[in-house]
Amino acid sequence: MPHTTAFARNQWYVAAYSHEVGREELLGRTILGEPLVFYRTEEDGTPVALADRCVHRRFPLHEKPSRLDGDRLVCGYHGFTYDTTGTCVYVPGQKRVPRTARVASYPVVELDSLIWVWIGDPALADADTIPRARHLDSPGWVTVRGMEPIDADYGLLVDNLLDLSHETYLHGGYIGTPEVAETPITTEVDEGAGIVRVSRHMDDAECPPFYAKSTGISGRITRWQDIEYHAPCLYLLHSRIAPVGVLPEADGSDPNGFHTEITYAITPSSDGHVYDFWMVSRDWATEDAEVTEFLRGNNHTVVMQDVDALNLLQRTLGTERTGYQELSINIDTGGLAARRILARLVEEGDKPVEKVL
């Protein structure tokens, strides 16, 4: 059996983008093995998350012909009707609603154009512990985004994103150049906050097509990749490129550089399945629709290269003999730190990570 990463349940996970949750269509997602249905309230649009199985015959509540009646969710099979707390308020053919007729409701927070959900003990759900990605809906930023389900353990996606040396080989011709694999990394780990930082600064590198075609830079570049992984779900890559020799001003401004924020939400769906939410944000050429579409298409290609590789890796690990040994080297330092943190979040009773200001 392949290695599987245990789920830390008392944590916040991204379940959807804000634009995916509405009233016209009910959204179904499985998070940490729990099937959920999402919709918005009629008056103020607050997102709601309920268990996605009718208490009567387990019909998936997000499937048609289920529908909303005001803020009440009507099961499309026999009409059992639930309010926003999951309490059943109507059953067919009788006035008395059984006391046990209710489905679970889950804490939900909408922040930075993301819908976060808490699967564990509701009493422990503290919205202040959600890590921020303010660029996703800040003025002056443009973001392209998507989501791909991967048939692989979510720990494999964490490994993938914390070791960007694979860009050289898996993503050559898009974002990979020889310098990514050749440049040593620095790694910092904040165990208490559950944050892993991995940095790779390239002073003289080839400009990959992803940036050459979107920025217009020709020739060699300085390229900085600074990762922040906030366990268990949010991954931020602060990317900076500039022509070789162009340095930031003394006050830290960088008028001749290009900063791009690359964000991933790594959300386990069930054992061996993960949602890969990906986002590319920029504060340059924000009015250029051609650049926007280029980045959308190019990054989707890169993501699908990861999807194919991780699907293959998961299948391969499933055929390995018991007791096989991994080999880890310096580039794996960040991924190994993330594994330790994820294991601790499970072993220590899923205690929420400290608030990050």
Side-chain angles (χ1 to χ4, degrees):
M1 292 294 292
H3 168 79
T4 57
T5 307
F7 300 149
R9 297 181 67 83
N10 282 330
Q11 302 293 328
W12 291 101
Y13 292 91
V14 172
Y17 293 120
S18 289
H19 72 264
E20 294 184 285
V21 178
R23 293 187 55 81
E24 296 299 320
E25 298 284 342
L26 298 164
L27 177 68
R29 287 270 156 81
T30 299
I31 311 294
L32 276 61
E34 300 288 340
L36 308 181
V37 56
F38 294 86
Y39 65 95
R40 292 184 183 273
T41 58
E42 191 170 39
E43 182 175 353
D44 60 7
T46 300
V48 176
L50 302 178
D52 189 30
R53 296 291 183 268
C54 181
V55 72
H56 177 229
R57 290 293 182 265
R58 310 301 294 168
F59 188 81
L61 291 171
H62 81 278
E63 294 282 7
K64 293 180 178 178
S66 296
R67 60 182 176 83
L68 292 177
D69 178 9
D71 288 343
R72 296 176 173 182
L73 178 54
V74 182
C75 176
Y77 192 17
H78 292 98
F80 277 62
T81 302
Y82 303 90
D83 67 15
T84 58
T85 71
T87 301
C88 185
V89 296
Y90 169 82
V91 299
Q94 62 186 60
K95 292 184 178 181
R96 187 186 69 85
V97 177
R99 181 174 50 84
T100 57
R102 63 177 299 113
V103 297
S105 64
Y106 298 84
V108 181
V109 172
E110 185 169 13
L111 195 63
D112 302 328
S113 78
L114 302 173
I115 303 294
W116 294 81
V117 66
W118 181 276
I119 299 297
D121 182 351
L124 299 178
D126 179 359
D128 287 340
T129 63
I130 297 175
R132 300 300 302 271
R134 292 177 173 85
H135 52 274
L136 293 177
D137 63 358
S138 291
W141 287 84
V142 173
T143 299
V144 296
R145 63 187 78 204
M147 189 277 283
E148 295 296 334
I150 307 178
D151 295 325
D153 177 70
Y154 85 98
L156 296 181
L157 181 56
V158 174
D159 283 347
N160 172 280
L161 293 173
L162 283 171
D163 173 21
L164 294 182
S165 69
H166 78 274
E167 289 182 351
T168 299
Y169 306 98
L170 190 60
H171 305 310
Y174 292 91
I175 57 176
T177 67
E179 293 81 11
V180 180
E182 293 168 358
T183 303
I185 61 170
T186 60
T187 305
E188 298 178 8
V189 182
D190 187 333
E191 295 280 354
I195 300 174
V196 180
R197 295 181 174 88
V198 179
S199 295
R200 179 182 274 109
H201 292 176
M202 295 158 271
D203 294 329
D204 186 349
E206 177 186 339
C207 188
F210 182 83
Y211 287 115
K213 294 180 180 179
S214 58
T215 66
I217 291 179
S218 60
R220 309 287 288 183
I221 60 170
T222 59
R223 184 180 183 185
W224 293 3
Q225 296 175 324
D226 295 298
I227 296 168
E228 293 178 42
Y229 171 58
H230 297 255
C233 186
L234 190 69
Y235 170 100
L236 305 171
L237 169 58
H238 312 296
S239 173
R240 173 194 177 271
I241 69 163
V244 166
V246 175
L247 300 176
E249 302 293 335
D251 63 0
S253 64
D254 193 3
N256 296 307
F258 294 83
H259 294 82
T260 306
E261 295 290 338
I262 299 170
T263 308
Y264 283 85
I266 306 164
T267 300
S269 173
S270 58
D271 286 336
H273 302 278
V274 59
Y275 295 121
D276 181 2
F277 293 89
W278 59 267
M279 296 141 269
V280 179
S281 307
R282 72 185 193 280
D283 62 357
W284 45 270
T286 56
E287 302 297 323
D288 193 325
E290 187 175 342
V291 170
T292 298
E293 290 311 307
F294 172 78
L295 293 178
R296 186 194 315 277
N298 203 272
N299 201 71
H300 179 256
T301 298
V302 169
V303 169
M304 291 309 299
Q305 290 172 336
D306 281 335
V307 170
D308 292 342
L310 294 178
N311 285 344
L312 173 60
L313 182 56
Q314 181 75 16
R315 293 195 300 270
T316 301
L317 292 175
T319 66
E320 288 287 350
R321 69 183 187 280
T322 301
Y324 73 90
Q325 293 294 313
E326 281 188 330
L327 173 65
S328 295
I329 58 175
N330 289 342
I331 60 174
D332 303 305
T333 305
L336 294 175
R339 291 184 188 183
R340 292 196 307 271
I341 290 172
L342 291 172
R344 177 177 60 80
L345 293 179
V346 175
E347 293 170 2
E348 293 184 358
D350 289 343
K351 180 181 178 181
V353 297
E354 298 171 4
K355 180 178 178 179
V356 180
L357 298 177

